[in-house]
Amino acid sequence: MSNRRYTLLYSSPQTAHALLSRCGLLAVTCLAVVFLLTSCHSSPSPSHLEALRSHADSIVDEVEEEHSLDSLVNAAERKGDRMLEMRARKKLGRVYREANFFIKAIDCHTRELKLAEQLGDTIAAVQALNNIGTNFRRMGILDEAVDYHYRGLHLCEEFSLKDDSTARKNRVISLNGIGNICLTLGDTETADSVFNAALEGEKRLGSHLGQAINYANLGSLYERNGQIDSAWTFYRRSMEQNRLAKSDLGISLCYTHFGRLNEKQGRRAEAIAEYRKAYEIMAPSDDRWHTMEPCLALAEIYIKMGDDATAMQYLDTADRLAHDLHSLEHQSQIARLYYDIYNRKGDTRQALHFYKIYNELGDSVSSEKNIIHMQNMRVRYEHEQHRAEMESVNQQYRTERTLKRLSFAAGMLVVILAAVIVCFMLYALRARKRKQEVQHQLDEMRLSFFTNITHEFRTPLTVILGYSRMMEEGKVPMGDITRVANMVSRQGSRLLSLINQLLDIQKVKSAVGKCDWHRGDVVLFLSNIIESHLNMAHSRGIRLLYAPKQQKAVCDFVPDYAQKVVCNLVTNAIKFSKEGSEVLVSLDVEGDMLQMRVADFGSGISQADQQRIFEPFYQTESDKKNVGSGVGLALVKQIVSALNGSISLVSKVGEGSVFTVCIPVKAPEGVEVKSLESLGSVPTSILLNAENDVMPEAYHSASISEADDADDDNQSDTRQLVLIVEDNADVAEYMTMQLKTRYRLAIAHDGMKGLEMATQLVPDIIVTDVMMPRMDGYELCQAVKQSEVLNHIPVVIVTARTSQDDKLRGLQMGVDAYIYKPFDAEELAVTVGNLLEKNRLLRERYMKAAAEHQPDAEAALPPQDRAFLDRVNAIVDKEMNDGNVTVDTVAAALCLSPAQFRRKLGAVSGSTPAVYIRTRQMYAAQHLLDNRPDLTINEVAMRCGFYDMSHFTRVFKQTMGMTPTQYRKGEEG
């Protein structure tokens, strides 16, 4: 924080400089007239006044406390001793100022000024003016402050004994006050010249404290200009002078400056150390203002470092000091810091409380009042100057006033023109930015559409082309031909449906009035469509229900349109519903309107997305996660509009959505209506009130079953385990057919389930799709690579996204191989085999090096595997010393189950946990036998976790080829 500076809101530093210059000119002229008028009166000689001041000061110096000084002032006033009263008021005013009672201090110094004028004591008058200016400056009333400092400077210039040391000191004080105000107003050029002039004056006076103050002021100036190196130089010079002057306050301020510069340069630890030095110096003193500055700085830096507890300690102290000082600016800053802490903690009530305080205190009314006050002061000075010079320079004044008005008018014209130009440029920039944002959104939509539609095309093509090649090559068993043909047909139908849906968007627009109307039972017709979605719902663990208000409702409708509307709405509801929830389709025919509602309990749609959800190709973030073309709802909207109906949406994020479709139940006049034969009845399995215990032929249930079979506890099948993560059941089945003869398989239907199964089973390799619900393939890969249990597992991405950016993203997350859909059957098998072979070779290299006792054996492993073995070694060594080393204790220390530990260690080292631990014990025993001849064989055995001597001897001989005793004797011999 700067040295007690306040900011006035001027339009620019140039304006501030102009106002300050006018202030100085008017003040000097006005005071010159006053001086000429008062100089005619006789006054005591300067030497006589100096003697009187010295005598009075000797009396005042004996009094220190506020109460005693007040009594001395009253006594001198009763006696009529104006000199003694004046000097006593001077000291009393400074006491009030140090206690931050600025109003009382100003009253004392104002009376001091009047007494100095009555006595004709110019030096005392300058001191009083500077003291008043300093108090106004500390209060932030800069117009009054600059007035008094300029008056003091003028009297110094007019004083006959300019070389008097006291007069020169007063002049420097005036310059310091003016410089600080210039710096506050942003007029750095004037401040620089004024501070340098003051510094030269202090050097001539030989004042260490004065030089320290001006060096610090120049440091603040350079700091504000961003010249940090220069700021360091001047602050250090200030510290040297403060030490020579033995000024605790100055030393504390320098430490504060050092801390602030360190903080700006990113050295927070050094900054904290400097701030603490400043705080420790000022805390014992009564100077609350300068105690608060380092205290508040420490609070701010601890908040930035996230240490809220320490920050609150300093912040509470600063808050108490700020209230004692009635400093609204500091109270506002403290309120903002409290808000930052409570907002980060999530305490919204306290955060809101302090945010309101911050806004109230931070209002700019006081700054505006200061500006108005200064402008009024300028007008008053102009009127005084006008009255003083009316008789002699009337014509010259009118000329100058005219020129000023013309200059002002020209300046205002320039400002207005500049403002118009700036506003126009801002408008143009905003318009251009909006256009760019719209274009960017369109590009994003287009890219997302083509990315997803590519996935939608490539996924069924993978199954169709893959199985076609297998059938051509005769690789499909005779018993599987029907099942394979069904999958190919199903995926072909899906591909055709998607293409038709894309074409239907434009087709519906051009087909208004040419719809193929039929009359039939709409309740039964829709039930058949809904029933066809049961498998999809069951595969996602969702219950699909149908609730028609009427058991039968014969009306006019377009079957093709009805199927498209229901299919799109129900499919979307299932895709975005939470597992274990329900999707409800209700139907009501009343009067001339049919009303259908599709409700889900899924992720919901935000208000912003609801405004655009029916636009072609528009997709929400949830859409992108679940994959789609972005044309379904747009098609529904166009169909409903073509039938003169309406569609509405009610949705809440996190709770679900309800789509309501209303369409007429009668065909338009003059349109041919055909009869629709509807056979059968509404299946009870989907009715809302029927018992629906139908278990899904769930693809994910089969996956879980396969996962259970693949558990590592089943030792009957020693083949390597491949985890396939794919949300499309047919693609997963196609992958399974390629790999099931060589590997054990586990299948998961989305990334979240895949991560759970990977953690449970610790497979040898993971093959995953990218675009899946809940967790996509990239997120799954990232989670695997960040897991200490799974980070050794190779990950193969099978995806329809072929862009370089997508591939680069996957490689950055640690993907080991990419396969693009549609892929050849052999490509998948070869890729999986190569990665598993690579891992096998790494393990063999490590096992060979370990068997030969090479010290750098672990260097053959990847870094994450080496880190895992380091952890295992450290835990085994610790448990060995504690005498409790077993596979279970080591697994528990690693936060793994024994099965996970066994698979992880086997995958990394190629060894079982028992063998690995036993080998580690033997190496430890060998080391002790070699290096600790003072230990007996029994002691060595116990230190290696063996309490049965015969067991230790037997294991050692199996490992080393000799007994421990023979080994030690051989070494000694």
Side-chain angles (χ1 to χ4, degrees), residues 180-358:
N180 275 299
I181 294 172
C182 290
L183 187 58
T184 302
L185 297 176
D187 186 2
T188 55
E189 183 177 354
T190 303
D192 189 9
S193 62
V194 170
F195 284 146
N196 277 294
L199 178 61
E200 290 301 318
E202 295 289 3
K203 287 180 178 179
R204 287 194 295 269
L205 288 168
S207 171
H208 295 302
L209 184 59
Q211 291 180 62
I213 291 171
N214 281 280
Y215 278 131
N217 287 335
L218 286 168
S220 298
L221 174 66
Y222 287 119
E223 182 182 351
R224 170 173 288 197
N225 289 338
Q227 298 169 274
I228 302 301
D229 291 337
S230 298
W232 271 111
T233 300
F234 282 92
Y235 284 146
R236 288 184 177 123
R237 291 179 183 174
S238 177
M239 176 63 86
E240 293 172 2
Q241 296 299 322
N242 276 310
R243 293 189 188 282
L244 292 173
K246 298 180 180 180
S247 170
D248 288 341
L249 172 59
I251 293 171
S252 171
L253 289 173
C254 285
Y255 281 134
T256 302
H257 299 324
F258 294 161
R260 191 171 58 253
L261 292 182
N262 276 314
E263 187 176 357
K264 287 183 177 180
Q265 293 181 326
R267 297 191 292 266
R268 289 183 175 174
E270 292 84 348
I272 289 174
E274 300 293 346
Y275 286 143
R276 282 179 175 168
K277 291 177 185 178
Y279 179 73
E280 289 167 2
I281 291 174
M282 298 310 302
S285 70
D286 294 329
D287 191 342
R288 288 172 288 186
W289 193 291
H290 289 102
T291 303
M292 178 172 57
E293 291 184 357
C295 183
L296 195 54
L298 284 165
E300 284 193 79
I301 198 169
Y302 276 117
I303 290 173
K304 293 176 183 177
M305 294 174 67
D307 189 352
D308 292 342
T310 307
M312 286 289 283
Q313 295 176 7
Y314 286 106
L315 204 55
D316 291 342
T317 302
D319 187 45
R320 175 176 52 79
L321 294 172
H323 279 86
D324 289 345
L325 295 172
H326 305 290
S327 172
L328 298 181
E329 181 185 6
H330 287 101
Q331 291 177 36
S332 173
Q333 184 180 2
I334 292 167
R336 178 183 61 79
L337 295 176
Y338 274 128
Y339 162 75
D340 289 342
I341 292 176
Y342 284 113
N343 185 48
R344 185 162 58 198
K345 288 182 176 181
D347 189 344
T348 56
R349 185 178 63 82
Q350 287 288 354
L352 179 61
H353 168 71
F354 284 105
Y355 186 78
K356 289 179 179 178
I357 295 174
Y358 167 67

